[in-house]
Amino acid sequence: DTAVSQTPKYLVTQMGNDKSIKCEQNLGHDTMYWYKQDSKKFLKIMFSYNNKELIINETVPNRFSPKSPDKAHLNLHINSLELGDSAVYFCASSYSAGGSTDTQYFGPGTRLTVL
Amino acid sequence: QQQVKQSPQSLIVQKGGISIINCAYENTAFDYFPWYQQFPGKGPALLIAIRPDVSEKKEGRFTISFNKSAKQFSLHIMDSQPGDSATYFCAASVGGSGYSTLTFGKGTMLLVSP
């Protein structure tokens, strides 16, 4: 059974386009995250939602807009795509008892290529 | 400012050898230190983690050593196997109300040669 799933797995698009990545988790977790992994494999948090409420918003361009329709889903919409947005985007989730020890479970990633 | 520094960037170890990856952190607010393992084309997965009040944690062939005063921690993989070939990330975590924030090191690409 897939715990954290993302669609699509690959996304190739032109500069200036708008695209969305979807994430779903069936773990019953109440906190979800988006991470960006660049070409050097550096992983950086972008956003976090707890019970559909935005709680972490790192210094990400406002072209990126997350949306959480319910606790099990967290989507990422990107407007006016730029070459520098090319990366692998990971969704993650955790059951948040409200501590640093909450294990984050990652999805398989979406490789976004902007041409 | 990179809050978690990881070295080496890449590592080649012979099968049966010991792989050692080192990390250092700056922010004393971090209170949990997990290691994640990532295989090509997959998402990172938790491997092992340690709290700062413990100096060592062992799970099978994987051991974390933690030095709170030096703000350093390391991962040791004993009897390294080709199946251990992956990218390893150290991380440091701080918790808030309803979430945890992970700050990752830059990763170490481990190759275990047969």
Side-chain angles (χ1 to χ4, degrees):
Chain A
D1 285 345
T2 303
V4 181
S5 60
Q6 296 178 227
T7 53
K9 187 159 177 64
Y10 300 96
L11 187 52
V12 181
T13 188
Q14 299 287 330
M15 265 176 46
N17 284 351
D18 303 339
K19 289 293 178 186
S20 291
I21 306 172
K22 295 187 176 183
C23 178
E24 177 181 0
Q25 54 93 5
N26 62 4
L27 297 168
H29 291 164
D30 48 10
T31 301
M32 297 184 72
Y33 310 80
W34 278 111
Y35 285 85
K36 179 180 181 181
Q37 186 171 50
D38 63 22
S39 58
K40 295 184 179 179
K41 295 210 165 190
F42 184 52
L43 269 166
K44 190 168 169 29
I45 182 75
M46 299 173 69
F47 301 103
S48 175
Y49 269 74
N50 177 257
N51 279 318
K52 303 193 297 175
E53 184 181 337
L54 181 65
I55 50 174
I56 294 175
N57 184 348
E58 291 294 314
T59 49
V60 176
N62 58 15
R63 298 182 294 102
F64 290 78
S65 53
K67 281 191 173 58
S68 181
D70 55 57
K71 274 182 13 173
H73 296 85
L74 180 62
N75 304 323
L76 183 65
H77 189 76
I78 316 170
N79 288 328
S80 304
L81 278 155
E82 300 178 357
L83 292 177
D85 298 332
S86 296
V88 181
Y89 293 85
F90 287 100
C91 177
S93 72
S94 67
Y95 172 65
S96 290
S100 56
T101 60
D102 300 330
T103 298
Q104 293 188 20
Y105 295 82
F106 284 76
T110 295
R111 181 175 293 275
L112 171 65
T113 303
V114 182
L115 303 174
Chain B
Q1 183 186 11
Q2 188 188 344
Q3 293 198 57
V4 179
K5 293 183 180 177
Q6 183 173 346
S7 63
Q9 197 172 353
S10 62
L11 183 59
I12 300 175
V13 171
Q14 284 203 325
K15 180 182 173 182
I18 302 173
S19 304
I20 302 174
I21 304 170
N22 299 301
C23 285
Y25 64 98
E26 297 166 8
N27 187 349
T28 55
F30 291 136
D31 60 0
Y32 194 58
F33 300 88
W35 285 85
Y36 279 77
Q37 181 187 53
Q38 184 180 23
F39 292 105
K42 305 289 185 185
L46 178 67
L47 181 65
I48 186 172
I50 195 167
R51 289 181 178 273
D53 54 349
V54 175
S55 61
E56 186 175 282
K57 183 171 181 182
K58 185 175 179 180
E59 288 183 3
R61 295 184 294 109
F62 301 90
T63 300
I64 302 177
S65 298
F66 190 87
N67 185 330
K68 188 174 181 178
S69 60
K71 291 189 284 185
Q72 294 175 347
F73 57 112
S74 60
L75 175 70
H76 293 232
I77 306 174
M78 310 300 288
D79 187 26
S80 299
Q81 299 296 312
D84 296 331
S85 298
T87 300
Y88 292 81
F89 294 92
C90 62
S93 177
V94 60
S97 177
Y99 68 94
S100 60
T101 302
L102 280 174
T103 301
F104 285 92
K106 291 196 171 184
T108 296
M109 200 175 300
L110 170 66
L111 176 64
V112 181
S113 59

